Amino acid sequence: MNLLITGGCGFLGSNLVHYLASAHPEYYITVYDILTYAGSRSNIRGLENRKAIAFIEGDICDPVRLAGALDIGVDMVINLAAETHVDRSIMSPVDFVRTNVYGVQVMLEQCRERSIAFLQISTDEVYGPAPEDIRFSEHEPLLPTSPYAASKASADLLILAAHRTYRQDVMILRPVNNLGPYQYPEKIIPLFCDRLSRGLPVPVYGDGCQIRTWLHVDDFSRAVELAIEGFVSGECFNVGSKWEITNIDLTKRIVKLVGQSEKLIRFVDDRPGHDRRYAVDFSRFMNRFGWLPGRDFDRAIEKTVKWYLENRKWLDTKRTKDYGEFIDRQYGKLK
Ligand code: NAD
Ligand code: DAU
């Protein structure tokens, strides 16, 4: 199998590359990434000197560069390249439309010309907030709230349209929030590990009672592996778990694992349009692929927090100018 993994230097992408390189040494993998603030070659360090792993710095919106990367006998593109932070999408939606919508359309066309299968990593956020006791199935209408979620939903619609119009080979996975190593410290878990371990307060948005569903990134990678092997053209699958937790409970667990005091928790203004709960029914994926998410959330969060505490240097390298400006604007009042 010859794979092009776009966004392979980001959080999910780098974990996927590590996972596949170990589970499938026979795969030939090219990582294609523009290296935004969220992506770093150091996330896949140690793999690049393998013969079967290559890296190309490139933009998914650049059809010429993309064509060069695809014309080496690629069988499948797995797209994880995206702008991914909801708060940034509220401040600067145009960047999200460019990469998450236009970039996807460019990739679709390049894949169609070459009959290359396209596996898109979408998100549970495309459905919008789930009422209590309801888990959205894949048949639910898409009602995204944030510019980020709307850009991901737009991409899903373009991808499904390509299948209906051209019979193009496409498949979509919609995972929930992932936890694990190499996530840029603007997202709740690495951000809170970083700040708490330096004795700084952490900002919980609104009342902290919003619910997110969590999945360990290794379970996500296994789901992608199964989708590569059993690609079902024209289909979308939710990839979820039963680990639903409020942000405040999650925060308290992180505080405890870092060994800090709950006095460092600050309730701040809510994220505009903050969705109360995400929850998806993932039985279709489970039944079709025999996949099961992990059952031990305590172990997963403990392992994840430990990784950030043991990889302080990695966290320190992320506090660049961009990080400083963004975080100062968001959390300046907490200092
Ligand atoms: P991330 O922000 O950590 O990484 C994104 C990567 O894409 C970075 O390496 C970045 O350099 C690259 N990239 C951005 N724009 C690009 C462009 N124009 N051309 C090429 N590369 C570009 O993101 P992530 O958390 O790993 O998310 C990966 C995908 O999974 C995204 O599509 C996201 O919507 C989806 N997703 C993530 C989660 C999660 O919990 N992290 C959950 C559900 C879905
Ligand atoms: O649901 C899947 C999505 O999960 C992915 O599609 C996105 O790419 C990914 O970024 C993630 O989005 P979230 O908005 O859920 O992640 P974030 O870590 O930003 O926020 C998680 C929850 O924590 C959310 O309800 C907002 C809250 N939060 C977040 C931050 C950064 C806080 O209360 N304080 C914070 O400082």
Side-chain angles (χ1 to χ4, degrees):
M1 182 72 76
N2 187 336
L3 301 172
L4 186 83
I5 303 188
T6 58
C9 291
F11 168 43
L12 298 193
S14 61
N15 278 284
L16 176 66
V17 174
H18 280 280
Y19 180 94
L20 292 178
S22 147
H24 293 279
E26 77 282 10
Y27 283 4
Y28 187 84
I29 298 173
T30 305
V31 172
Y32 183 94
D33 198 306
I34 200 175
L35 301 177
T36 65
Y37 72 94
S40 164
R41 278 181 85 161
S42 69
N43 295 352
I44 53 166
R45 188 166 292 146
L47 293 177
E48 280 183 67
N49 49 12
R50 291 201 193 181
K51 256 212 207 127
I53 314 265
F55 173 77
I56 297 175
E57 187 169 336
D59 186 348
I60 59 167
C61 302
D62 177 349
V64 177
R65 186 99 177 129
L66 207 48
L70 291 172
D71 283 335
I72 52 159
V74 169
D75 300 302
M76 189 182 296
V77 168
I78 306 173
N79 179 36
L80 298 110
E83 289 295 337
T84 59
H85 193 38
V86 173
D87 294 329
R88 287 181 193 256
S89 82
I90 294 166
M91 292 190 277
S92 180
V94 166
D95 301 339
F96 286 70
V97 174
R98 181 186 180 275
T99 296
N100 301 359
V101 186
Y102 177 73
V104 166
Q105 185 58 36
V106 170
M107 274 193 288
L108 275 175
E109 287 175 21
Q110 294 300 316
C111 287
R112 180 158 53 85
E113 280 172 21
R114 295 167 178 79
S115 301
I116 294 172
F118 185 79
L119 176 61
Q120 166 75 350
I121 307 306
S122 178
T123 171
D124 61 352
E125 298 202 11
V126 295
Y127 301 112
E132 212 179 315
D133 296 332
I134 292 198
R135 288 169 173 263
F136 287 146
S137 81
E138 293 83 353
H139 304 297
E140 209 63 39
L142 304 188
L143 288 172
T145 303
S146 70
Y148 160 73
S151 71
K152 296 294 290 183
S154 308
D156 284 10
L157 295 179
L158 287 168
I159 291 163
L160 294 172
H163 179 74
R164 293 191 194 110
T165 308
Y166 312 108
R167 310 310 302 165
Q168 186 165 354
D169 275 335
V170 298
M171 181 173 170
I172 298 175
L173 298 183
R174 293 184 177 143
V176 297
N177 284 61
N178 275 236
L179 75 162
Y182 301 113
Q183 187 172 31
Y184 189 81
E186 64 188 352
K187 312 283 166 59
I188 191 166
I189 295 178
L191 175 73
F192 285 14
C193 290
D194 181 32
R195 292 186 66 92
L196 289 165
S197 62
R198 292 188 290 133
L200 296 171
V202 289
V204 172
Y205 300 164
D207 62 4
C209 293
Q210 306 82 6
I211 294 172
R212 294 291 178 268
T213 309
W214 292 90
L215 177 71
H216 193 272
V217 69
D218 290 343
D219 290 326
F220 164 76
S221 296
R222 169 82 185 128
V224 175
E225 177 189 29
L226 292 167
I228 295 168
E229 287 167 356
F231 194 88
V232 203
S233 192
E235 291 289 333
C236 292
F237 292 92
N238 294 333
V239 180
S241 88
K242 297 218 162 136
W243 295 344
E244 278 192 44
I245 182 168
T246 61
N247 291 337
I248 186 63
D249 285 348
L250 176 68
T251 303
K252 285 181 180 168
R253 274 172 189 255
I254 300 172
V255 167
K256 199 165 168 208
L257 288 165
V258 176
Q260 273 293 5
S261 156
E262 287 187 11
K263 286 185 188 145
L264 288 176
I265 299 176
R266 303 274 197 283
F267 290 93
V268 300
D269 289 348
D270 210 350
R271 174 184 276 175
H274 199 172
D275 285 336
R276 208 63 190 160
R277 173 174 176 257
Y278 295 131
V280 290
D281 174 353
F282 54 98
S283 54
R284 261 181 86 240
F285 190 75
M286 243 173 32
N287 296 337
R288 173 117 198 181
F289 291 95
W291 172 88
L292 270 181
R295 285 182 210 171
D296 190 352
F297 181 69
D298 292 342
R299 174 87 193 102
I301 184 73
E302 195 185 311
K303 221 172 95 183
T304 301
V305 171
K306 192 162 175 257
W307 189 90
Y308 288 105
L309 297 183
E310 287 177 355
N311 288 274
R312 267 243 65 91
K313 272 198 187 143
W314 183 89
L315 277 176
D316 290 343
T317 61
K318 302 297 153 198
R319 248 177 278 112
T320 54
K321 185 166 172 285
D322 171 278
Y323 178 87
E325 280 169 7
F326 175 71
I327 298 294
D328 282 354
R329 223 175 327 155
Q330 290 275 97
Y331 313 124
K333 54 185 176 245
L334 289 174
K335 281 187 180 153

